[in-house]
Amino acid sequence: MPHMTAPDPHDPSSIARFVDAIGCGVVATVSPDGAPEAALVGLAALDDGTLIFNTPDDARKVANLRADARAAVVVSAGDVSVQAEGSATIAEDAERERIGGAYEGRFPGSRAFADGFLVVAVRPDWVRVYDARPRPAVVAEAVWRN
C-alpha cells in the first residue's frame, strides 16, 4: 500500500481525496428488523465529503436505507482509516445525474446509470480518522452537521 497522508477530519475535501484515492470501503446499514448489514462497495467522493456508491436496486442495503437512512462507512489504507456516519439518500433525477456523473468519473464504465442500479449518497455528520503509524496512534474526530 502506498504511503497515505492521514486526512483532516475537519476538512471534507481532505476526506474526499482520501476516499477517492482508495476507491472502496465498507458500507454498513441497519435492516428493518434491526440487524446489521455491511458490504464492500466502490466509493467516490465529492469535495463536500459526500460519499457515493452504486448498487443493484434489489440489494439488501437498498431496502435497509429505505427503512432507515442511517449509514456508516469505513475506508482504510493500511494503518490509516476513515470512519464516517451519517444519512444516505438514493439519488433521483437531477441529483442522480450529478452524483452519478461524479461516480462515473471515478469509475468509467460503471453501472451508475444502468437499468436496475441506483446511486446512493452518504452525507456524513460525524467523521473519525485513525492513524496507527505514530506511537501512540492518533485519533481525531469531527462533527460536520448537527
Side-chain angles (χ1 to χ4, degrees), residues 41-117:
V41 299
L43 283 170
L46 301 178
D47 284 341
D48 68 359
T50 299
L51 308 177
I52 306 163
F53 64 93
N54 77 330
T55 183
D57 60 9
D58 62 354
R60 291 186 308 166
K61 66 183 127 329
V62 173
N64 295 349
L65 292 171
R66 286 189 167 135
D68 184 336
R70 293 177 296 166
V73 179
V74 177
V75 178
S76 178
D79 290 336
V80 178
S81 64
V82 169
Q83 296 168 245
E85 296 175 359
S87 61
T89 56
I90 297 167
E92 296 179 355
D93 303 323
E95 180 72 353
R96 181 173 182 181
E97 291 297 318
R98 183 177 78 84
I99 68 169
Y103 190 85
E104 180 70 22
R106 173 62 177 84
F107 299 106
S110 76
R111 298 173 289 187
F113 297 113
D115 288 340
F117 282 79

